Amino acid sequence: MQGASHMLLEEPLRLASVLAPAKPKVFPSLTKIVGTLGPKSHSVEVIQECLTAGMSVARFDFSWMDAAYHQDTLNNLRKAAQNVKKLCPVMLDTLGPEIQVHNSTGEPIELKAGNHVIITPDISKAPSAEILPIKFADLAKAVKKGDTLFMGQYLFTGSETTSVWLEVVGTSGENVNCLVKNTATLAGHLFTLHASQVHISLPTLSEYDKQVISTWGSRNSVDIISLSHTRSAEDVRELKTFLQSHDLPDTQIYAKIENSEGLDHFDEILKEADGIIISRGDLGIDLPPENVFMFQKTAIYKCNLEGKPVIVTRVVDSMIDNLRPTRAEATDVANAVLDGSDGILLGAETLRGLYPVDAVSTVGRICAEAETVYNQPLLFKKVMWHVGDPMPHEESVASAAVGSAIKVKAAAIVVFTFSGRAARLVSKYRPTMPVLAVIFPREGSDPSKWRSYGTTQARQCFAVRGVYPLMGSTDEAETGGLTKEEYGIKLALNYGRSVGIVKPFDRVIIFEKIGDSSVVKIVECEG
């Protein structure tokens, strides 16, 4: 593993290999890819191709379209997942405290640099280049002269021709007078307004979000909720309480950090949430550009130390319209992996982009290549130091499993678990090989539901770096009279062979809990 602790330019052999023909990958990247499903990725056929290309999590963005549309998409996802025999968790993305401008006519609105425009809560006004009505009455109370506002249909794409940058000149009653800083055309029926580094007195979990979760989310037993615009740990606790009251106690909460308030309370949010999404679109305009990279690196590092999954957004925006990412974007994806990200989230690239399948496969290839030079030994030492002495027993065994796997050059680590926690704990130490999590059903589980869709716990593992869940069984007819350990190992090795990660005479590390103890074993595959 010494070679993996240096960058490419310090490795003549590794650098030379860049010019060699690429070796075909027999297994997806360890880094997971979240794909947002929408108009360009709605059909069974396209979703199936995305899953085959490496999509691990399906995101449903409820800031647009209605529940009926998303239900139709979800039904297609289930068909596609069954066709390719692959589990796929459902991530519901909330709307949050979003201020919207409704353009009732749908006619383009041209704004020119140097002109003034009034933002008003009077929604009876028709939107124009002179006045823009919003559904929020207290903006004039929240902003002051000199504050920055951004507005657009696809606000955070970085395109200065489709989103407008406004400077607050002053307020008059409930109206806000703004100077237009760049020439742009606002197109479509719906625009979003973002006030940079300004507290907006709207709840993080909106009434609309509650309605969606209590109906669509509950009916479909969603696996993960992405809590948009998370500003404090209390936001996460509020959602947890709401999920408990709507029969969704196992649904995980990924806090989406996308403003300065979330950044200020990041440490407390991290402790409360199940995972973190670094939403660089909003952050990119809430923070000065020179500060975004530092927050990304710091946040990922903190998530790694705590063993909490962390996902990065907005990496290949150019692939919305192009078949290849820019050179800078390709490097950005790789750096996110080298920083320690568990996953990459594709938004518009798969939702409305022209090449959703290519976006997934391209990002997957970049991630897989970056993983070959990921500095695992350094992260391993830092996590060990952070956990400290004396180490809790499970931490000790999980770290030993990863250390042993690297020393014996194991092809995979097999973990037996009910909740997925053991697999997440092993992933915390960032093994360089896949973690095959054999997840057994709890007593009383519905066999038909288990066999059709797996469990929430199994699906949630797909959001964690390097973890690939396999559904175990306690049915004697399926286990063939083998012990749980024998059956689990056989299941994992058969899967490993089928996807090409386990070959004859390879070594595999087994991590399991027996009684109150956790143990690590080495198994050599038969020739």
Side-chain angles (χ1 to χ4, degrees):
M1 285 303 298
Q2 187 63 32
S5 64
H6 300 287
M7 295 302 293
L8 285 176
L9 292 179
E10 298 174 357
E11 296 181 337
L13 293 177
R14 186 71 187 84
L15 184 59
S17 72
V18 173
L19 301 177
K23 294 181 180 179
K25 295 284 191 302
V26 296
F27 196 73
S29 63
L30 300 177
T31 307
K32 302 305 179 67
I33 299 174
V34 181
T36 305
L37 302 186
K40 296 297 184 180
S41 51
H42 172 77
S43 69
V44 174
E45 293 74 21
V46 173
I47 296 174
Q48 192 168 312
E49 288 185 67
C50 285
L51 289 170
T52 303
M55 184 179 79
S56 294
V57 181
R59 172 175 173 258
F60 292 78
D61 184 358
F62 272 81
S63 64
W64 71 281
M65 299 301 284
D66 58 19
Y69 180 88
H70 289 300
Q71 186 64 52
D72 191 39
T73 307
L74 177 53
N75 293 340
N76 289 343
L77 168 66
R78 286 173 170 164
K79 291 175 186 174
Q82 287 180 336
N83 289 344
V84 297
K85 296 180 172 57
K86 182 177 179 180
L87 297 178
C88 184
V90 172
M91 175 184 285
L92 188 163
D93 198 290
T94 63
L95 176 65
E98 191 169 276
I99 301 174
Q100 296 181 329
V101 182
H102 286 265
N103 181 14
S104 54
T105 66
E107 294 295 322
I109 300 173
E110 295 185 13
L111 299 172
K112 293 188 177 180
N115 289 351
H116 288 76
V117 63
I118 293 173
I119 300 177
T120 178
D122 185 356
I123 58 175
S124 67
K125 301 287 187 183
S128 67
E130 290 74 40
I131 191 164
L132 294 168
I134 62 172
K135 289 190 172 182
F136 179 57
D138 295 331
L139 183 64
K141 297 177 184 177
V143 300
K144 62 183 184 303
K145 183 178 179 180
D147 280 346
T148 300
L149 307 179
F150 293 89
M151 185 181 295
Q153 183 182 16
Y154 305 117
L155 182 57
F156 313 121
T157 61
S159 172
E160 292 298 335
T161 60
T162 59
S163 58
V164 67
W165 171 21
L166 308 172
E167 180 183 326
V168 175
V169 175
T171 61
S172 176
E174 293 184 323
N175 295 339
V176 179
N177 185 22
C178 298
L179 173 67
V180 180
K181 301 292 286 185
N182 69 291
T183 298
T185 299
L186 302 180
H189 289 273
L190 185 67
F191 317 132
T192 300
L193 174 75
H194 179 84
S196 180
Q197 298 193 29
V198 172
H199 175 74
I200 298 299
S201 56
L202 289 171
T204 301
L205 189 66
S206 68
E207 289 303 314
Y208 171 74
D209 295 328
K210 291 179 179 179
Q211 184 267 328
V212 167
I213 294 169
S214 63
T215 54
W216 192 91
S218 181
R219 182 170 66 248
N220 292 294
S221 299
V222 294
D223 305 296
I224 301 168
I225 290 182
S226 166
L227 183 59
S228 295
H229 302 279
T230 304
R231 295 176 282 193
S232 68
E234 183 55 38
D235 290 340
V236 181
R237 287 191 285 268
E238 180 189 353
L239 178 53
K240 280 185 181 178
T241 301
F242 187 80
L243 292 175
Q244 290 280 351
S245 65
H246 288 81
D247 198 29
L248 289 169
D250 296 325
T251 298
Q252 291 185 338
I253 299 172
Y254 278 41
K256 205 172 176 189
I257 308 299
E258 45 193 327
N259 53 46
S260 56
E261 289 177 89
L263 189 155
D264 289 341
H265 300 104
F266 182 79
D267 290 349
E268 62 188 62
I269 292 171
L270 176 59
K271 283 183 169 54
E272 200 69 39
D274 297 298
I276 296 290
I277 296 176
I278 301 175
S279 182
R280 301 188 310 172
D282 290 37
L283 277 173
I285 59 174
D286 217 41
L287 298 178
E290 64 271 20
N291 291 349
V292 176
F293 86 94
M294 185 59 74
F295 171 69
Q296 174 178 321
K297 290 179 179 292
T298 303
I300 292 174
Y301 179 62
K302 289 183 176 182
C303 290
N304 287 170
L305 293 183
E306 294 296 327
K308 297 283 183 79
V310 55
I311 296 170
V312 175
T313 74
R314 306 309 296 263
V315 289
V316 287
D317 281 352
S318 70
M319 289 197 75
I320 296 171
D321 301 306
N322 299 289
L323 193 54
R324 286 167 60 100
T326 66
R327 294 167 292 281
E329 288 172 333
T331 303
D332 193 26
V333 174
N335 280 328
V337 174
L338 297 175
D339 286 344
S341 298
D342 284 74
I344 301 293
L345 190 152
L346 301 177
E349 300 96 327
T350 53
L351 184 145
R352 59 183 175 85
L354 301 179
Y355 309 100
V357 178
D358 292 285
V360 172
S361 60
T362 300
V363 169
R365 289 196 304 273
I366 298 170
C367 289
E369 192 67 19
E371 288 160 8
T372 65
V373 290
Y374 176 71
N375 197 337
Q376 191 275 341
L378 180 61
L379 190 279
F380 187 93
K381 291 175 184 176
K382 288 183 176 180
V383 173
M384 292 281 283
W385 177 84
H386 178 73
V387 173
D389 293 325
M391 292 185 78
H393 177 70
E394 289 186 344
E395 292 271 4
S396 174
V397 180
S399 60
V402 176
S404 299
I406 290 172
K407 285 179 182 177
V408 304
K409 294 182 171 56
I413 300 175
V414 177
V415 178
F416 296 163
T417 180
F418 287 105
S419 66
R421 182 176 180 274
R424 290 192 295 272
L425 199 57
V426 171
S427 176
K428 177 179 179 178
Y429 291 89
R430 290 297 189 255
T432 54
M433 63 288 296
V435 179
L436 305 181
V438 181
I439 300 181
F440 290 95
R442 293 190 180 279
E443 290 184 15
S445 298
D446 182 346
S448 61
K449 185 176 180 181
W450 171 260
R451 192 48 60 195
S452 297
Y453 305 120
T455 66
T456 296
Q457 290 80 5
R459 291 190 298 270
Q460 286 167 344
C461 284
F462 272 108
V464 183
R465 184 188 185 277
V467 179
Y468 292 89
L470 306 172
M471 292 188 298
S473 175
T474 54
D475 187 340
E476 197 168 326
E478 291 190 46
T479 60
L482 298 174
T483 66
K484 174 185 169 183
E485 180 186 14
E486 292 169 338
Y487 163 73
I489 294 174
K490 181 180 178 181
L491 179 68
L493 294 184
N494 285 343
Y495 172 78
R497 292 189 190 98
S498 71
V499 296
I501 62 172
V502 176
K503 301 182 294 298
F505 307 112
D506 275 349
R507 291 174 178 175
V508 173
I509 295 294
I510 311 298
F511 174 67
E512 65 175 321
K513 193 169 184 178
I514 300 176
D516 294 329
S517 301
S518 298
V519 297
V520 172
K521 299 179 182 179
I522 301 176
V523 173
E524 187 170 288
C525 302
E526 296 178 357

